[in-house]
Amino acid sequence: MKKLILAAASIAALALAGPASAQSPIVIKLSHVVAPNTPKGLASEKFKELAEKYTGGKVKVEVYPNSQLYKDKEELEALQLGAVQMLAPSSAKFGPIGVKEFEVFDLPYILPDLKTLRKVTDGPLGAKLLKLLDAKGMTGLAYWDNGFKQMSANKKLITPADYKGLKFRIQSSKVIEAQMRALGVIPQVMAFSEVYQALQTGVVDGQENSWSNIYTQKMHEVQKHITVTNHGYIGYIVVVNKKFWDGLPDDVRVQLDKAMKEATAYGNGQSQKENDEALVDIKKSGKAEIVTLTPEQDAAMRKAMESIYKDVAGRVGQGLIDEFLKETRGATN
């Protein structure tokens, strides 16, 4: 796979060398792993529309959804090698490439609501985290919402004991892995594009995802029960190849920044709407039971996972966790 990515990067480099003489548009390949009608898909298309409009055709954005170019594990390497120019991976994907601090977003129940999330991503803490990406050959441009995660399985999940022994698909995040192990789950790291088939064939018993991802990937058709937990958040970090970005003409970069800000506001506005509509559609389908926890059951879930904060402090950084909690809860723990 690395050879294929390197070959693609060489072709991309040749393509970038051409525009200076031929005055062809600057091509930005934006690759992602979800469906076009998800919050990330909609934000990507909005960025394409605005980038091409504001640059007066100097830039052409090619959007590749549904893992058409690269799967989860391949896309960040492809970006670093220059085979694609822009991605919007989930925050969990940055731990495996050495930026473990982004896994703070994976801590269970750390973000109570979207208003608190905005306080983090739009403030100094969000900017500080993006700056960490420079050392990895990428520039962080924005935070895009997906939504809060729910748990699903073919078994009704009400108490922490119900999870014991189940195989769950997870993203490649040590924090999410620790969260699942705290529940007695056997975590299985798997590409997003493979989840439906794995659920359908019983390779895994369950998974966690936002309503829009569950609906657009038809996971509700192969899972009998979905429990409303809102235990975690899925968000994306929009990144661009740093060498490519720094090499753009100043006026083009200014217009692309403007397009990204507006696409981010649009996409994040769509996120809650898409998730609300997906939940309604899942209920209408009648294919999966929606399970709502009582306050006591919710408290039991929170208690089962509270030890994770101490367990992963050495990986994510206790100082960062405290800083995050100060923003999200108004006090350190």
Side-chain angles (χ1 to χ4, degrees):
M1 178 50 67
K2 186 160 186 174
K3 285 180 182 175
L4 288 173
I5 294 172
L6 281 166
S10 299
I11 293 165
L14 287 171
L16 285 174
S21 55
Q23 294 300 308
S24 302
I26 297 164
V27 175
I28 296 177
K29 288 184 180 178
L30 199 175
S31 170
H32 67 81
V33 302
V34 298
N37 57 333
T38 55
K40 177 160 50 172
L42 293 168
S44 298
E45 290 298 334
K46 180 58 76 173
F47 174 72
K48 169 183 167 65
E49 174 198 326
L50 296 174
E52 293 176 353
K53 176 184 169 185
Y54 291 155
T55 62
K58 288 181 186 175
V59 169
K60 182 187 176 191
V61 180
E62 297 175 356
V63 180
Y64 297 91
N66 278 326
S67 306
Q68 285 176 8
L69 288 185
Y70 301 104
K71 292 183 180 180
D72 289 320
K73 289 181 181 177
E74 305 157 1
E75 60 177 8
L76 279 167
E77 185 180 11
L79 182 90
Q80 288 173 310
L81 292 171
V84 291
Q85 288 72 49
M86 189 176 286
L87 303 172
S90 65
S91 54
K93 303 286 178 7
F94 292 92
I97 66 159
V99 194
K100 299 167 187 174
E101 290 87 348
F102 278 104
E103 290 182 357
V104 70
F105 285 100
D106 296 329
L107 282 164
Y109 303 107
I110 197 164
L111 290 161
D113 51 46
L114 286 173
K115 185 181 175 184
T116 308
L117 169 69
R118 286 282 81 79
K119 195 176 162 190
V120 171
T121 58
D122 294 352
L125 184 51
K128 175 179 163 183
L129 286 168
L130 290 182
K131 199 71 190 152
L132 298 173
L133 297 168
D134 288 2
K136 298 297 177 181
M138 39 186 110
T139 299
L141 298 180
Y143 292 90
W144 285 359
D145 292 346
N146 182 307
F148 288 92
K149 294 187 284 187
Q150 322 303 332
M151 298 281 202
S152 76
N154 285 325
K155 174 185 179 183
K156 196 179 281 193
L157 304 171
I158 296 174
T159 71
D162 295 329
Y163 291 81
K164 194 168 178 61
L166 296 181
K167 288 177 290 182
F168 259 62
R169 177 268 174 175
I170 66 162
Q171 297 185 72
S172 182
S173 162
K174 294 296 182 186
V175 174
I176 296 175
E177 186 180 327
Q179 164 197 290
M180 290 301 182
R181 291 199 187 283
L183 291 169
V185 162
I186 303 161
Q188 309 277 311
V189 175
M190 184 180 294
F192 183 74
S193 57
E194 298 167 9
V195 180
Y196 175 87
Q197 189 176 9
L199 293 169
Q200 187 182 42
T201 56
V203 171
V204 292
D205 303 306
Q207 60 84 51
E208 53 165 18
N209 244 304
S210 63
W211 292 115
S212 64
N213 277 355
I214 291 169
Y215 182 69
T216 57
Q217 297 296 317
K218 304 185 188 302
M219 294 178 198
H220 63 292
E221 295 182 3
V222 287
Q223 295 276 266
K224 291 177 183 173
H225 309 280
I226 307 171
T227 302
V228 183
T229 51
N230 292 314
H231 63 284
Y233 164 77
I234 301 179
Y236 307 115
I237 316 299
V238 184
V239 288
V240 67
N241 178 285
K242 184 170 170 51
K243 188 176 178 183
F244 169 81
W245 188 250
D246 291 347
L248 290 172
D250 290 346
D251 62 322
V252 170
R253 203 182 312 109
V254 167
Q255 295 305 327
L256 290 177
D257 262 328
K258 180 184 176 186
M260 181 56 68
K261 282 186 176 64
E262 291 183 23
T264 298
Y266 168 79
N268 289 349
Q270 288 289 309
S271 173
Q272 191 61 51
K273 179 174 174 284
E274 290 292 314
N275 280 299
D276 290 345
E277 288 175 359
L279 174 55
V280 170
D281 289 336
I282 290 169
K283 284 179 179 175
K284 274 186 194 170
S285 76
K287 291 181 176 176
E289 179 195 5
I290 308 296
V291 180
T292 304
L293 300 178
T294 65
E296 293 76 21
Q297 290 162 348
D298 179 69
M301 284 292 293
R302 289 169 184 268
K303 186 169 179 56
M305 291 190 272
E306 67 183 7
S307 63
I308 296 161
Y309 283 72
K310 286 189 175 67
D311 294 343
V312 302
R315 178 178 175 83
V316 177
Q318 186 62 54
L320 177 62
I321 293 173
D322 289 343
E323 203 175 341
F324 213 91
L325 287 170
K326 190 174 181 181
E327 289 292 327
T328 62
R329 298 181 187 175
T332 57
N333 65 346

